[in-house]
Amino acid sequence: MEKSSTSVNDLGDRHLLLIFKYLNLCDRLNLQFVNKRWQNLCSSLWKDYHAFDVCDDELGFGSISEDEINFSICTQVFKSSFRYLTKVNLSWTRGPRHLDLVDLNQCCCLQKLQKPKKTLNNLKETLFECENIEELALCRCVIEVDEQDLKQIFRKNRYLRTLVLAKYDFSGKSLMLLPFQSLESITFEECTFDAKYLNVVLYKAPKLHTLGFKDCADGMEELELELLPKLSPKMKRLDLDIPPYPDLLSDICNLKNLTILTLQMAVVEDYELKEIVRHCKKLVALDISHGTFLTDACLCDLRFLPQLKSLDISSNDEFSNGGLQYLSDNLRELRVSMNKFSENALLKVLRRMQKLEVLDVSSCMHLKKRFVESAIDVVKNRSNAVPLTIGLLNIGTGSDEIKNSCPKVKLVWDDFLWPNYNQYL
């Protein structure tokens, strides 16, 4: 009696789809060349693929080595899924799986590829066909688009909520075509444009709650931040890395509902920060990492922010060990990436801040194995079960043994712990 032969094709469509869903992107692309049936099944899989990210490891972008970047796979995935995409990241920022959390500080290591030999300009025509994008990040290093291209993209995607533009030089007229009623967040990094067009966006976007600028110097003279508290009362996040202007302090102080503030400007002084603290009582996350004129006195003023959970005081060598004693015990995240703080001072912080979840000392080159071991002992003796993540330089010999010595402590070597500020919105 002959045995009946069976094959994978004997499975029904529903069962095959269940199997295909566990495959990575590259395998999905290859499956469509097996036969017509599998091609149709693979096409239906893209209906569940809503977030396209050039920094995704599955697309071959997990390394800063350009030779390992698989532009072919990237192109095929984008062209297969564009009809269903709601989040598109064509920049070196992290996302779009967390694009609503895109942060000016969240730049992955691929940003070191300032001018890659290849770009994804062949995706431009496909990008023009997208109509359902809600969160979009574009960088000139990845895809080159001009003013007319931006107009076409903005015109077709009427539900856009989050926009990140990096390294573009444009007039700004395209911003007039943004869907004002749905826009919630807009960020510019190393962009040059006329700020008078952005003022119109500030005036007409009632849901706008996040505005960010990094290294945007030209054209910012006409920016009118005073529009924000009057016309966008939901403004909760402001990231500024622009040249100061006379009314900047008063404009920030008018944002009464601000919860996240990044001031990456060296000219901020103690009295200015004190005014901000006095008016913006709802601040939960504060980044004053580049305030080189700030002293321990401003750390004392921060005690009057009862809801403050995240603080970045790195890149400032004016703070001392004594200044750390003024910080609130309720902090969840603390970044002190300078060599001014001693091991004992940092350990005192750990003992006092029982709720601390993140301590970034990744630029403190003087911290050695002894500090890490002592920090782990402190966390072990905590009265609660709050885990702690520590970012620091690799201490060399024995680092792997220490890394696995305590489940409550996660050690991250040679990398910054990029803040996820929008969790506080």
Side-chain angles (χ1 to χ4, degrees):
M1 186 174 178
E2 293 185 4
K3 293 183 179 180
S4 59
S5 60
T6 59
S7 73
V8 69
N9 284 315
D10 294 328
L11 294 173
D13 291 351
R14 183 168 63 89
H15 296 96
L16 281 175
L17 282 174
L18 286 175
I19 296 172
F20 291 171
K21 284 182 179 179
Y22 288 97
L23 300 177
N24 60 37
L25 296 178
C26 297
D27 290 336
R28 288 189 191 184
L29 292 172
N30 292 329
L31 281 179
Q32 64 187 350
F33 299 109
V34 174
N35 55 48
K36 189 69 175 178
R37 181 193 177 199
W38 286 25
Q39 183 182 20
N40 293 332
L41 290 175
C42 289
S43 297
S44 65
L45 284 177
W46 296 115
K47 294 179 181 179
D48 297 324
Y49 188 77
H50 302 297
F52 178 85
D53 183 2
V54 296
C55 295
D56 195 325
D57 291 342
E58 286 194 60
L59 295 176
F61 282 75
S63 167
I64 65 172
S65 172
E66 189 180 337
D67 296 333
E68 299 180 23
I69 297 177
N70 197 323
F71 287 85
S72 175
I73 293 177
C74 198
T75 301
Q76 291 181 62
V77 170
F78 190 73
K79 290 186 176 181
S80 299
S81 60
F82 76 91
R83 292 182 181 87
Y84 314 107
L85 294 176
T86 58
K87 304 179 182 181
V88 176
N89 181 24
L90 293 173
S91 75
W92 296 141
T93 53
R94 288 184 181 176
R97 290 158 297 191
H98 314 288
L99 236 186
D100 53 333
L101 309 177
V102 161
D103 190 281
L104 288 173
N105 296 319
Q106 289 184 348
C107 299
C108 72
C109 59
L110 283 166
Q111 198 173 34
K112 297 177 183 178
L113 289 175
Q114 295 297 325
K115 294 182 179 180
K117 299 174 184 177
K118 296 180 181 179
T119 60
L120 293 173
N121 287 333
N122 57 333
L123 297 185
K124 191 183 298 186
E125 293 301 322
T126 309
L127 181 60
F128 293 157
E129 297 299 318
C130 296
E131 297 181 345
N132 301 308
I133 299 178
E134 297 178 9
E135 302 170 17
L136 175 65
L138 298 175
C139 176
R140 186 169 57 85
C141 294
V142 182
I143 184 168
E144 297 180 8
V145 294
D146 57 24
E147 190 87 51
Q148 293 303 317
D149 296 333
L150 289 174
K151 286 182 178 180
Q152 189 168 345
I153 295 169
F154 297 158
R155 188 183 290 116
K156 296 199 70 171
N157 294 278
R158 304 316 299 166
Y159 301 102
L160 192 65
R161 295 187 291 108
T162 299
L163 175 65
V164 178
L165 295 177
K167 302 181 184 298
Y168 287 110
D169 186 352
F170 62 110
S171 70
K173 290 183 180 180
S174 57
L175 299 178
M176 298 298 93
L177 294 177
L178 285 170
F180 298 134
Q181 295 304 313
S182 63
L183 192 64
E184 298 177 4
S185 172
I186 187 167
T187 297
F188 303 96
E189 181 175 354
E190 295 184 42
C191 287
T192 301
F193 61 96
D194 193 334
K196 67 182 181 183
Y197 297 108
L198 180 58
N199 288 331
V200 178
V201 176
L202 301 183
Y203 183 84
K204 292 187 175 182
K207 296 181 180 179
L208 190 68
H209 59 66
T210 297
L211 181 64
F213 303 95
K214 181 175 177 62
D215 297 330
C216 297
D218 298 335
M220 291 295 104
E221 298 82 4
E222 297 188 48
L223 181 64
E224 298 177 13
L225 287 180
E226 67 271 13
L227 290 171
L228 300 182
K230 298 176 184 177
L231 306 171
S232 186
K234 294 185 179 181
M235 179 59 61
K236 293 184 177 181
R237 176 171 182 175
L238 186 63
D239 299 318
L240 290 180
D241 183 8
I242 59 175
Y245 56 89
D247 296 327
L248 176 61
L249 176 61
S250 59
D251 289 346
I252 296 176
C253 290
N254 284 331
L255 302 175
K256 306 295 184 182
N257 293 318
L258 205 62
T259 58
I260 301 170
L261 177 61
T262 299
L263 289 176
Q264 294 189 348
M265 300 180 294
V267 295
V268 179
E269 298 188 24
D270 286 345
Y271 79 93
E272 294 174 310
L273 187 61
K274 185 175 183 178
E275 284 298 302
I276 293 173
V277 169
R278 191 164 68 90
H279 290 87
C280 303
K281 293 291 187 182
K282 296 182 180 181
L283 279 176
V284 179
L286 179 63
D287 181 347
I288 49 175
S289 57
H290 290 71
T292 54
F293 292 104
L294 296 173
T295 66
D296 289 344
C298 80
L299 299 182
C300 184
D301 295 328
L302 297 183
R303 293 181 298 176
F304 298 101
L305 293 175
Q307 301 180 50
L308 191 65
K309 298 290 189 297
S310 177
L311 178 64
D312 189 337
I313 55 174
S314 57
S315 304
N316 187 322
D317 55 5
E318 294 299 320
F319 297 133
S320 67
N321 291 327
L324 292 178
Q325 66 181 333
Y326 300 126
L327 299 181
S328 169
D329 294 351
N330 294 320
L331 283 178
R332 303 289 178 86
E333 300 182 21
L334 178 61
R335 291 168 175 82
V336 288
S337 302
M338 285 301 291
N339 295 327
K340 294 288 288 187
F341 302 109
S342 66
E343 292 185 4
N344 288 333
L346 292 173
L347 290 173
K348 286 181 180 179
V349 168
L350 282 178
R351 294 188 186 96
R352 185 164 54 87
M353 298 182 182
Q354 294 287 309
K355 299 178 181 179
L356 195 67
E357 299 173 3
V358 175
L359 176 63
D360 188 349
V361 288
S362 53
S363 295
C364 297
M365 293 180 288
H366 65 294
L367 298 179
K368 304 299 180 183
K369 181 179 178 180
R370 181 183 59 186
F371 168 77
V372 180
E373 293 173 334
S374 300
I376 291 175
D377 289 338
V378 171
V379 178
K380 283 181 178 179
N381 295 324
R382 277 183 173 180
S383 58
N384 54 41
V386 177
L388 176 68
T389 300
I390 305 178
L392 70 170
L393 292 174
N394 198 319
I395 57 175
T397 306
S399 58
D400 291 335
E401 291 79 2
I402 297 176
K403 191 172 184 178
N404 302 316
S405 63
C406 178
K408 289 177 63 176
V409 180
K410 177 182 178 181
L411 301 179
V412 179
W413 307 121
D414 298 328
D415 195 9
F416 294 105
L417 299 176
W418 301 112
N420 203 359
Y421 285 149
N422 276 20
Q423 64 180 303
Y424 301 120
L425 284 179

